[in-house]
Amino acid sequence: MPKYEEIAHTLRNRIKSEAYPAGSLLPKQIDLVKEFSVSRMTVQKALEILTLEGLILSKKGVGTTVLPHPFLTKDTSVLSYYEGLSMEMKKAKRKLESQVIEFNVEFPDETIQEKLHLTAEEPVYKIIRLRILEDKPFILEHTYMPIQSVPNLKKEVIESSIYQYIKNDLGIKITGAYRTIRADRSSEYDQTYLNCSENDPVLEIRQIAYQQDGTPIEYSRSRNRFDVRDYSYLDMKG
């Protein structure tokens, strides 16, 4: 993720958490330059993103004002963010826990082979986690990762942050992800762990995350209650 997008994400989270409430002024650009140790141009590109999202308005002689935003809720996540849910919520200063439901090693079926570019003889981790946000069920994650790409994965890592283990301990950079979004009926897993009823719809995000060399490192299905989490995407042209 480019630095200006990281800055935009941090400022967006501060607006969401009301660290910068609607009607208040953002810090001056020179202060943001010092805080993030970047150039003024980088800060300006970050502010341009937030302006296009309708979160802020800059006026000469006044400063940059935080606007009320009808689409932005505390649990709106940006689809272009790749650092993982743990880091996202850490930056937002929100309590996130992980309950490990299943953690096994198995040989991949044809679907997983296709998604992760594996043969039938290359084993994968199968991980099912319930992410609990501020003591409430938030997301049910079904994740597959090649053992050869993510060696020595332990339960204590899964209970915290897999992405931080990949980045900090293995030195692997995740540079992007292909994501699809669809609605689905709730499954027995959803009903058990997300407290869904049988007729509740579920929002599912399917993701293949890629290393810097283009090798897939993760295939996941994140199951979200329809009334708990939103996603946003900024489409910039020109």
Side-chain angles (χ1 to χ4, degrees), residues 39-50:
S39 68
R40 189 158 190 159
M41 183 178 292
T42 300
V43 168
Q44 288 172 345
K45 290 182 73 173
L47 297 181
E48 284 174 7
I49 291 175
L50 300 183

Side-chain angles (χ1 to χ4, degrees), residues 3 22 34 72-73 81 91 108 116 124 136 161 169 175 200:
K3 189 64 178 181
K34 290 179 180 178
L72 188 69
T73 67
Y81 187 72
K91 289 182 176 179
L116 294 176
V124 296
K136 294 181 181 179
S161 173
D169 292 69
T175 56
D200 277 342

Side-chain angles (χ1 to χ4, degrees), residues 130-155:
L130 176 64
R131 314 307 293 274
I132 303 167
L133 184 63
E134 295 171 345
D135 302 318
K136 294 181 181 179
F138 189 49
I139 298 174
L140 187 62
E141 294 177 345
H142 301 252
T143 303
Y144 296 87
M145 288 183 162
I147 289 180
Q148 62 187 21
S149 298
V150 190
N152 303 317
L153 195 58
K154 301 289 194 299
K155 185 178 178 182

Side-chain angles (χ1 to χ4, degrees), residues 2-117:
K3 189 64 178 181
Y4 65 88
E5 288 189 8
E6 291 183 17
I7 295 169
H9 183 72
T10 299
L11 296 177
R12 188 187 297 109
N13 275 335
R14 292 176 184 176
I15 294 171
K16 285 165 62 174
S17 66
E18 298 187 346
Y20 301 148
S24 68
L25 293 176
L26 282 185
K28 294 179 180 179
Q29 288 189 22
I30 191 170
D31 295 325
L32 294 174
V33 165
K34 290 179 180 178
E35 177 183 353
F36 295 105
S37 300
V38 295
S39 68
R40 189 158 190 159
M41 183 178 292
T42 300
V43 168
Q44 288 172 345
K45 290 182 73 173
L47 297 181
E48 284 174 7
I49 291 175
L50 300 183
T51 299
L52 288 169
E53 292 177 351
L55 295 178
I56 60 174
L57 177 66
S58 297
K59 285 187 178 181
K60 192 172 182 180
V62 176
T64 303
T65 304
V66 177
L67 301 175
H69 197 286
F71 294 120
L72 188 69
T73 67
K74 191 164 62 170
D75 294 317
T76 298
S77 294
V78 181
L79 278 172
S80 58
Y81 187 72
Y82 303 126
E83 286 192 297
L85 186 65
S86 297
M87 182 57 64
E88 180 181 350
M89 294 305 164
K90 181 179 180 180
K91 289 182 176 179
K93 297 182 179 179
R94 305 184 68 191
K95 177 187 174 186
L96 180 72
E97 300 173 283
S98 297
Q99 176 187 340
V100 179
I101 299 167
E102 187 174 333
F103 177 35
N104 294 315
V105 172
E106 60 183 43
F107 291 106
D109 61 21
E110 290 185 2
T111 298
I112 305 305
Q113 290 173 45
E114 178 187 0
K115 303 297 185 187
L116 294 176
H117 300 175

